[in-house]
Amino acid sequence: MQKRTFRENLEQLLPAYARMPLLFLVIINLLAYYGSRLIPLQMAPLNMQLPLDGRIPFRQEWIIIYILAYLQWVVGYVLIARESREHCRRVLTGEMIAKLICMVLFVVLPTRIERPQVGGRGLCASLVRLIYATDAPINLFPSIHCLESWICFRGAVGMKRVPRWYAPAMLLLTLLVFASTVLVKQHVLVDIPAGILVGEVGLLLANQLFAIRQRRKGGCE
């Protein structure tokens, strides 16, 4: 049996048409999250904590789910990209539009969160301290963590090249990620629906853009 070349293995893992959109996705993500911090704020950051947030306990062990979300995104976006050229472009375009909306909101509606002191020397406590040290308690509304996981779930819906259990499993993991963001005190409750809403707006606008493109293409034929 002839061995596959590196290029053939790479093409099977990630088709060529998906590589540039994924690269742009990463760039826009960095621009939205870190670039927005370079713009001087016009108002003091708001604390959008609700009374119900104060009743949600701090649970260090949920940091495992919070970090597991990063793996969810890698798997989710790779499988979205491999589904088809059309699916890849629609979902990733929606994600990038959503990130640009986030960037605007981070600037015009800055928020902050009060985080607890983390005690103990266990793995979970160490991971929470690491996240706290590397991720400032700003740029919270909407939650990018929730937005990313939601887009991965929405992109999974209707996919043909994955097992039938994949979309329900992605939904379950997404809901767990939502819970983790408030249980490790990285976000408050309103950040979760805001992330979902911005994700949906991004997908809607992407679909509208592709629909306009199709109509123009059809009109030229």
Side-chain angles (χ1 to χ4, degrees):
M1 181 181 295
Q2 186 178 5
K3 291 185 177 180
R4 291 178 177 173
T5 65
F6 172 79
R7 179 174 293 183
E8 289 171 337
N9 287 328
L10 180 60
E11 181 66 25
Q12 184 180 34
L13 174 65
L14 196 62
Y17 65 75
R19 294 168 202 165
M20 193 59 69
L22 285 171
L23 177 60
F24 278 123
L25 185 150
V26 173
I27 292 172
I28 290 179
N29 182 67
L30 294 173
L31 178 65
Y33 195 73
Y34 294 104
S36 61
R37 302 185 185 192
L38 302 177
I39 302 174
L41 298 180
Q42 301 302 313
M43 59 182 292
L46 302 173
N47 186 338
M48 301 182 72
Q49 183 177 12
L50 301 173
L52 184 57
D53 285 292
R55 302 178 64 180
I56 297 175
F58 171 56
R59 291 286 184 259
Q60 296 179 0
E61 61 273 15
W62 279 81
I63 196 65
I64 302 298
I65 299 296
Y66 187 87
I67 294 175
L68 187 61
Y70 294 101
L71 178 60
Q72 178 196 20
W73 305 340
V74 171
V75 173
Y77 285 120
V78 167
L79 292 180
I80 287 168
R82 293 175 59 180
E83 177 69 11
S84 69
R85 184 188 300 267
E86 177 75 8
H87 190 69
C88 171
R89 289 180 174 177
R90 282 180 179 269
V91 176
L92 297 192
T93 299
E95 198 274 352
M96 287 185 273
I97 292 172
K99 284 292 175 56
L100 293 175
I101 296 173
C102 286
M103 183 175 181
V104 173
L105 289 172
F106 291 158
V107 173
V108 302
L109 190 63
T111 56
R112 62 179 177 83
I113 188 172
E114 298 295 331
R115 300 191 297 204
Q117 293 292 323
V118 184
R121 297 184 178 180
L123 173 63
C124 292
S126 298
L127 289 174
V128 172
R129 282 194 289 268
L130 175 63
I131 293 297
Y132 281 8
T134 56
D135 188 13
I138 57 175
N139 288 358
L140 306 174
F141 181 88
S143 166
I144 283 185
H145 229 73
C146 296
L147 184 154
E148 296 280 23
S149 292
W150 182 256
I151 294 284
C152 285
F153 158 64
R154 291 284 280 109
V157 175
M159 287 172 56
K160 307 297 184 183
R161 300 182 62 183
V162 296
R164 294 181 63 181
W165 53 261
Y166 176 73
M170 191 62 73
L171 174 59
L172 175 60
L173 181 54
T174 295
L175 294 176
L176 291 174
V177 170
F178 288 177
S180 76
T181 62
V182 292
L183 287 168
V184 299
K185 301 303 177 179
Q186 278 289 88
H187 284 279
V188 295
L189 286 170
V190 295
D191 300 332
I192 298 175
I196 295 173
L197 178 60
V198 170
E200 288 295 324
V201 169
L203 292 173
L204 176 63
L205 292 177
N207 286 329
Q208 291 296 323
L209 289 173
F210 276 87
I212 293 171
R213 180 184 176 187
Q214 289 294 337
R215 287 196 296 269
R216 288 179 177 176
K217 185 177 179 180
C220 294
E221 293 177 353

